[in-house]
Amino acid sequence: MTRRPRGVVALALFFTFGTVMSSLTVLALIASGRWADQMWRLNPTARTGFEVMGSWAVPMMLVVAAACAGAAIGLWRGQRWGQQLAVGLLGVNLLGDLANVVLRGDWRTLIGVPVGGAMLAYLLSRRIRARFAPLANKRMQPTARQC
């Protein structure tokens, strides 16, 4: 088995971080207290946004956590569905960043556009797509024993 490309490892770790952060958000939404208040100080706008969402905030963040976990696991295992899930999540995030600029006038979110775009370009590059292609579609390369 060949080694995982460093970029795939980095993206698997990125999605693992996303899993941890979205899970912590769920805990902060469910169990308030001093630790949660300290966490919300990092991003008070997020707390306000989740409060506006009401009862939908927790299920939504659980879905985000599960999706991030799936992408991390799928990328780590070299599964096509993991690559596709990661592309989907990054695409949705990219659209969200653009929507925040247009609808809310939050220009800070523009930093996510080139970063997310670079990650998408990497995952959609020919070399990486080939790595995640189904085995039936990969060309059979002759081994030393077959030659």
Side-chain angles (χ1 to χ4, degrees), residues 18-32 35-36 39-40 50 56-66:
T19 303
V20 171
M21 294 311 293
S22 52
S23 298
L24 283 173
T25 300
V26 169
L27 288 175
L29 289 168
I30 292 172
S32 61
W35 75 272
M39 191 178 102
W40 289 123
F50 287 125
W56 285 100
V58 170
M60 184 193 73
M61 290 310 296
L62 285 171
V63 169
V64 170

Side-chain angles (χ1 to χ4, degrees), residues 3-79:
R3 290 180 5 161
R4 290 176 197 88
R6 289 181 182 158
V8 172
V9 171
L11 283 167
L13 292 173
F14 172 79
F15 283 108
T16 300
F17 178 76
T19 303
V20 171
M21 294 311 293
S22 52
S23 298
L24 283 173
T25 300
V26 169
L27 288 175
L29 289 168
I30 292 172
S32 61
R34 185 173 164 192
W35 75 272
D37 291 337
Q38 290 175 347
M39 191 178 102
W40 289 123
R41 282 188 205 145
L42 296 173
N43 191 351
T45 309
R47 182 180 197 171
T48 305
F50 287 125
E51 287 172 352
V52 169
M53 292 176 72
S55 62
W56 285 100
V58 170
M60 184 193 73
M61 290 310 296
L62 285 171
V63 169
V64 170
C68 285
I73 292 166
L75 287 172
W76 189 259
R77 291 183 178 172
Q79 299 293 312

Side-chain angles (χ1 to χ4, degrees), residues 80 125-134 138:
R80 176 98 174 128
S125 69
R126 182 174 295 177
R127 180 174 69 91
I128 298 304
R129 277 186 296 130
R131 182 164 184 85
F132 287 99
K138 291 182 181 179

Side-chain angles (χ1 to χ4, degrees), residues 47-114:
R47 182 180 197 171
T48 305
F50 287 125
E51 287 172 352
V52 169
M53 292 176 72
S55 62
W56 285 100
V58 170
M60 184 193 73
M61 290 310 296
L62 285 171
V63 169
V64 170
C68 285
I73 292 166
L75 287 172
W76 189 259
R77 291 183 178 172
Q79 299 293 312
R80 176 98 174 128
W81 58 263
Q83 185 250 1
Q84 291 171 334
L85 182 56
V87 165
L89 287 170
L90 289 170
V92 167
N93 190 65
L94 193 65
L95 290 174
D97 287 343
L98 291 171
N100 275 327
V101 171
V102 173
L103 300 174
R104 296 178 52 211
D106 188 357
W107 293 95
R108 296 173 300 161
T109 59
L110 276 180
I111 189 67
V113 174

